[in-house]
Amino acid sequence: MLKEYPLNRVFTLIEPGPALLVTTAEGRKKNVMTITWSLAMSFSPTFGIVTGSWNHSFDTLMKTRQCVVAVPGVDLIGKVIGIGTCSGTDTDKFKKFSLTARKAKEVEAPLIEECLYNMECEVADYVEDHGIIVLSCLRAWENPDRAERRTFHAVGDGTFVADGEKFDLRKEMASKLPPL
Ligand SMILES: Cc1cc2nc3c(=O)[nH]c(=O)nc-3n(C[C@H](O)[C@H](O)[C@H](O)COP(=O)(O)O)c2cc1C
């Protein structure tokens, strides 16, 4: 069961730079791609992803101006790599990787039930020279039922790191943090 996640906490899902899944939909055809180039930009629910026309998802994203950005746990790492190494042009990736699509509230692109978090987004800007798509999050969801809570991060050379020890320095940096 998905539980609504507060918009003013959405930046904390992106700032640590986890591997992401981005879903899109054009008519009844849904698709999903892997993104590890992402950018937290402010405390507001706005962030960037980097992609381009070599991906089928990019065309749909530019056409529909909508997507869902989902944060998978490390238990999905094999699927995330598989999703990022085939294309929606010839593959139904939801079927191939046994992902459960759930209806979003604000966008046509589907939520992914198996992910820890899902962010319903619209395209706010496109910085073409750098392939940066700026996304505004309209609504976010958490799946509190997933047992594996660790996200994972791409090093960029085909190796990955899962979340490790957590350090709480909230008191020390309180002057730089928005209220919880
Ligand atoms: C680990 C991993 C990370 C990736 N990160 C990005 C990324 O940040 N930006 C991007 O454009 N493509 C990235 N890709 C490639 C796309 O996910 C890939 O081209 C995908 O097949 C596109 O699917 P589509 O054609 O169905 O849109 C990544 C792939 C993998 C395996």
Side-chain angles (χ1 to χ4, degrees), residues 68-178:
V68 166
V69 177
V71 183
V74 70
D75 51 333
L76 299 187
I77 192 167
K79 293 189 185 204
V80 171
I81 305 312
I83 289 164
T85 49
C86 65
S87 179
T89 48
D90 54 20
T91 308
D92 178 345
K93 294 195 228 178
F94 276 82
K95 198 163 166 200
K96 179 166 182 184
F97 298 102
S98 308
L99 298 175
T100 312
R102 292 274 179 238
K103 207 168 159 30
K105 282 225 162 126
E106 314 287 342
V107 300
E108 294 299 320
L111 310 172
I112 302 173
E113 165 101 31
E114 290 79 10
C115 284
L116 296 171
Y117 301 95
N118 279 271
M119 294 169 268
E120 302 184 29
C121 298
E122 66 183 9
V123 174
D125 204 355
Y126 174 45
V127 186
E128 192 171 358
D129 283 352
H130 298 283
I132 300 172
I133 298 177
V134 180
L135 297 172
S136 290
C137 181
L138 306 171
R139 199 180 274 264
W141 303 92
E142 177 179 7
N143 187 338
D145 300 333
R146 299 297 292 179
E148 176 57 84
R149 306 304 301 177
R150 289 175 304 159
T151 65
F152 65 99
H153 313 263
V155 175
D157 60 357
T159 64
F160 296 82
V161 181
D163 288 343
E165 193 177 349
K166 195 167 177 176
F167 304 91
D168 187 347
L169 299 170
R170 267 180 271 208
K171 222 190 269 167
E172 287 79 352
M173 64 176 292
S175 64
K176 297 286 178 200
L177 295 175

Side-chain angles (χ1 to χ4, degrees), residues 31-37 50-52 54-58 80-81 83-89 93 154 160:
N31 192 24
V32 55
M33 75 177 291
T34 301
I35 287 274
T36 54
W37 290 334
V50 178
T51 186
W54 57 91
N55 295 308
H56 181 57
S57 303
F58 174 82
V80 171
I81 305 312
I83 289 164
T85 49
C86 65
S87 179
T89 48
K93 294 195 228 178
F160 296 82

Side-chain angles (χ1 to χ4, degrees), residues 22-62:
V22 176
T23 80
T24 45
E26 201 173 355
R28 298 184 61 181
K29 199 170 169 231
K30 54 188 183 303
N31 192 24
V32 55
M33 75 177 291
T34 301
I35 287 274
T36 54
W37 290 334
S38 67
L39 174 68
M41 295 170 63
S42 82
F43 292 126
S44 71
T46 299
F47 50 86
I49 57 171
V50 178
T51 186
S53 57
W54 57 91
N55 295 308
H56 181 57
S57 303
F58 174 82
D59 295 335
T60 314
L61 192 48
M62 286 294 102

